[in-house]
């Protein structure tokens, strides 16, 4: 499988809370069972003690450099990848959960919530999307799903369906010449290894450049619809060529923020996102232009800096192209409104590998990664326990930098966001009309810190 980000590495994935859409699986780092690491002084050693592994999983690179990883794998002789798309009869909790349980065949307990009835639970994995803005009263829901081994459909061919020319097709893609704005012309393989999947081009023009020059065109509904409509074709094409519909070969820049919500509050989370997206229709500064997205994840207790308690969680995600916004404050204000509701009203936990922590500064400008939010992500016990180990691994602070260190700081009196704010209510910001562009450094950081969604923005972390 591939990721939606253009900068992911296996080491980075293990050192963060990256996950898929498995109903029974957790973060990828939970399945790392042995590491080869380099310490601050250049010494290389193997870590295979489970207790010590807990300090390296989701460690944000603060302990040293991960050079090698041994993963626990599961054999899947048959893997069925498919798409289900449906316009629901009405937008309500029962129709929402009916699609999840029955149409998507999600492997979630029937009594998880009372709505939606019971389904086959045959699907092993699912990434869901909801196009709110084209048919608000009856949104279109879609799922990119997988069945494996004994749960595949009776007529599924499995390994018998491997393309006869798979090696030639794979080599063709790897050797294809592409042009990267940062590094110049090179093979696709070189570009993918350096920065991840190269940008999408339409008739030789990078899609994000095209979007930037099309701000005033009414593209929001088209982009949201296209993201779902492209799914079956993308999966089918890649499956027929390289037997992997999940292989991402192109990806534009897109904004992404995700949060872990209790399943009982899943509909409330997505309903609020729908409200905010519909309020943006016709706005001159920013209209939401990609579907709402969600997945499930079964979190395991496998890291000291685990960002969310163990158990089954609903992962709600908001995604959008920033290039269609007239200014960065327009989309940041809306992202803040959704985050405030999900975190402060629904008690959600943030996905630290994406955008989070939207707060107003002293000049009335909204920026992500606020310090008040950063130091609320982990408990004092987690921070103290990890910091003691980190100091033993990096006594001179060679790796003590970045957002990871900011998450380990104490809240202090200046924090504008408090952990106790979860469930304590919030103020709902109005959509503002004042253009207040952020600093160039902040804009650059957002570009380097958000996964690229794609024709398949669901191929995410």
């Amino acid at each position: 499988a591939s990721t939606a980000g253009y900068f992911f590495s296996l080491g980075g994935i293990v050192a963060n809370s990256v996950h898929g859409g498995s109903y029974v699986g957790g973060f990828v780092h939970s399945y790392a069972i042995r590491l080869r690491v380099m310490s601050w002084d250049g010494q290389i050693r193997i870590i295979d003690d489970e207790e010590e592994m807990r300090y390296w999983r989701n460690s944000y690179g603060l302990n040293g450099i991960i050079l090698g990883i041994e993963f626990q794998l599961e054999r899947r002789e048959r893997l069925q990848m498919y798409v289900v798309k449906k316009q629901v009869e009405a937008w309500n909790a029962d129709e929402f959960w009916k699609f999840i349980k029955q149409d998507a065949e999600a492997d979630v307990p029937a009594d998880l919530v009372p709505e939606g009835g019971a389904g086959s639970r045959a699907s092993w994995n699912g990434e869901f999307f909801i196009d709110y803005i084209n048919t608000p009263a009856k949104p279109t829901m879609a799922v990119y799903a997988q069945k494996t081994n004994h749960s595949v459909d009776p007529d599924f061919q499995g390994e018998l369906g491997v393309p006869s020319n798979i090696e030639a097709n794979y080599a063709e893609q790897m050797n294809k010449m592409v042009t990267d704005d940062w590094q110049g012309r090179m093979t696709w393989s070189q570009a993918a290894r350096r920065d991840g999947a190269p940008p999408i081009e339409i008739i030789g023009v990078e899609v994000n450049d095209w979007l930037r020059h099309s701000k005033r065109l009414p593209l929001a509904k088209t982009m949201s619809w296209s993201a779902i409509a492209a799914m079956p074709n993308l999966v089918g094409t890649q499956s027929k060529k390289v037997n992997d519909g999940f292989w991402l070969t192109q990806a534009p820049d897109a904004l992404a923020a995700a949060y872990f919500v209790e399943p009982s509050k899943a509909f409330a989370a997505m309903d609020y996102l729908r409200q905010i997206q519909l309020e943006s229709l016709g706005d001159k500064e920013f209209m939401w232009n990609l579907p709402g997205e969600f997945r499930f994840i079964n979190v395991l207790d496998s890291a000291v800096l685990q960002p969310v308690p163990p158990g089954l969680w609903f992962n709600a995600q908001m995604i959008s192209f920033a290039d269609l916004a007239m200014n960065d404050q327009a989309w940041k204000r809306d992202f803040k409104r959704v985050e405030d509701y999900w975190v402060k009203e629904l008690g959600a936990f943030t996905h630290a590998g994406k955008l989070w922590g939207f707060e107003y500064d002293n000049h009335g400008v909204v920026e992500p990664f606020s310090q008040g939010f950063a130091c609320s992500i982990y408990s004092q016990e987690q921070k103290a326990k990890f910091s003691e180990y980190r100091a033993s691994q990096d006594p001179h602070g060679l790796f003590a930098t970045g957002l990871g260190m900011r998450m380990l700081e104490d809240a202090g009196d200046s924090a504008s966001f408090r952990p106790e704010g979860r469930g304590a209510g919030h103020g709902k910001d109005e959509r503002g009309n004042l253009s207040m562009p952020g600093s160039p450094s902040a804009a650059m950081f957002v570009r380097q810190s958000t996964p690229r969604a794609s024709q398949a923005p669901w191929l995410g972390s």
Side-chain angles (χ1 to χ4, degrees), residues 137-158:
K138 299 180 178 182
T140 295
M141 296 186 68
V143 61
Y144 176 84
Q146 299 179 37
K147 295 178 181 178
T148 181
N149 295 341
H150 67 279
S151 69
V152 301
D153 293 340
D155 58 348
F156 178 63
Q157 289 185 310

Side-chain angles (χ1 to χ4, degrees), residues 27 260-261 297 299-301 305-311 313 349-350 377-378 382:
F27 296 120
F260 302 100
V261 180
I297 176 174
V299 177
L300 307 177
D301 182 15
L305 292 184
Q306 200 78 295
V308 59
W313 290 88
F349 294 83
T350 188
I377 292 175
Y378 294 109
Q382 284 177 294

Side-chain angles (χ1 to χ4, degrees), residues 81-83 144 161-166 169-170 172-173 176 229-250 455-456 458:
M81 310 170 78
Y82 61 100
V83 174
Y144 176 84
V162 175
S164 59
N165 55 346
I166 183 173
N169 290 338
Y170 185 78
E172 180 183 2
Q173 179 63 43
K176 179 181 177 181
M231 237 187 288
N233 180 61
L234 179 70
V235 173
T237 299
Q238 292 297 81
S239 294
K240 292 176 182 178
K241 291 181 65 175
V242 294
N243 203 40
D244 185 0
F246 212 39
W247 190 26
L248 180 68
T249 58
Q250 292 180 302
Q455 293 179 26
W458 56 91

Side-chain angles (χ1 to χ4, degrees), residues 110-165:
D111 60 355
L112 184 66
V113 294
E115 297 87 358
S120 70
R121 301 183 63 173
S123 178
W124 160 78
N125 181 84
E127 299 191 51
F128 295 79
F129 307 89
I130 312 176
D131 176 13
Y132 295 117
I133 63 177
N134 280 288
T135 53
K138 299 180 178 182
T140 295
M141 296 186 68
V143 61
Y144 176 84
Q146 299 179 37
K147 295 178 181 178
T148 181
N149 295 341
H150 67 279
S151 69
V152 301
D153 293 340
D155 58 348
F156 178 63
Q157 289 185 310
E159 292 186 355
L160 298 177
V162 175
S164 59
N165 55 346

Side-chain angles (χ1 to χ4, degrees), residues 69 122 145 221 276 425 457:
I69 308 164
K221 290 186 176 182
I276 299 301

Side-chain angles (χ1 to χ4, degrees), residues 7 34 55 63 67 80-82 106 139 146 153 160 188 200 223 238 242 244 280 285 298 301 312 349 353 382 459:
F7 55 88
R34 192 159 67 146
Y55 289 93
N63 294 326
L67 301 175
Q80 181 181 0
M81 310 170 78
Y82 61 100
Q146 299 179 37
D153 293 340
L160 298 177
W188 185 94
I200 291 177
M223 300 305 295
Q238 292 297 81
V242 294
D244 185 0
S280 78
E285 289 195 328
N298 199 345
D301 182 15
L312 182 63
F349 294 83
Q382 284 177 294
L459 305 185

